[in-house]
Amino acid sequence: MRIIALLFIVFILASLASALYYLIKDKGQSDRTVKMLTVRVALSLILFLLLMGGYYFGVIPQSGLR
């Protein structure tokens, strides 16, 4: 579970970095920045639901991820 959570965080940061790159490169002329920020929000929501589900079903113990 820890590896999955860390992978999601890496993908979220990569999406944020690519959105910044597209913002600078396109100068607001394309919608690629919005698409990448949408991907970031979706990944964050999936990570949150995955962590809540893992806690609910007992995959993550009450002491947290170690």
Side-chain angles (χ1 to χ4, degrees), residues 12-29:
I12 290 167
L13 291 175
S15 174
L16 189 61
S18 65
L20 178 64
Y21 173 76
Y22 290 137
L23 179 67
I24 293 170
K25 183 179 181 223
D26 294 343
K27 297 182 177 126
Q29 300 300 321

Side-chain angles (χ1 to χ4, degrees), residues 7-39:
L7 282 175
F8 265 93
I9 291 171
V10 167
F11 289 140
I12 290 167
L13 291 175
S15 174
L16 189 61
S18 65
L20 178 64
Y21 173 76
Y22 290 137
L23 179 67
I24 293 170
K25 183 179 181 223
D26 294 343
K27 297 182 177 126
Q29 300 300 321
S30 103
D31 61 345
R32 292 193 292 183
T33 302
V34 175
K35 287 181 183 178
M36 292 312 296
L37 290 175
T38 303
V39 168

Side-chain angles (χ1 to χ4, degrees), residues 41-59:
V41 169
L43 286 173
S44 299
L45 182 63
I46 291 169
L47 177 61
F48 177 74
L49 293 174
L50 185 70
L51 290 173
M52 291 297 111
Y55 181 77
Y56 180 75
F57 291 114
V59 177

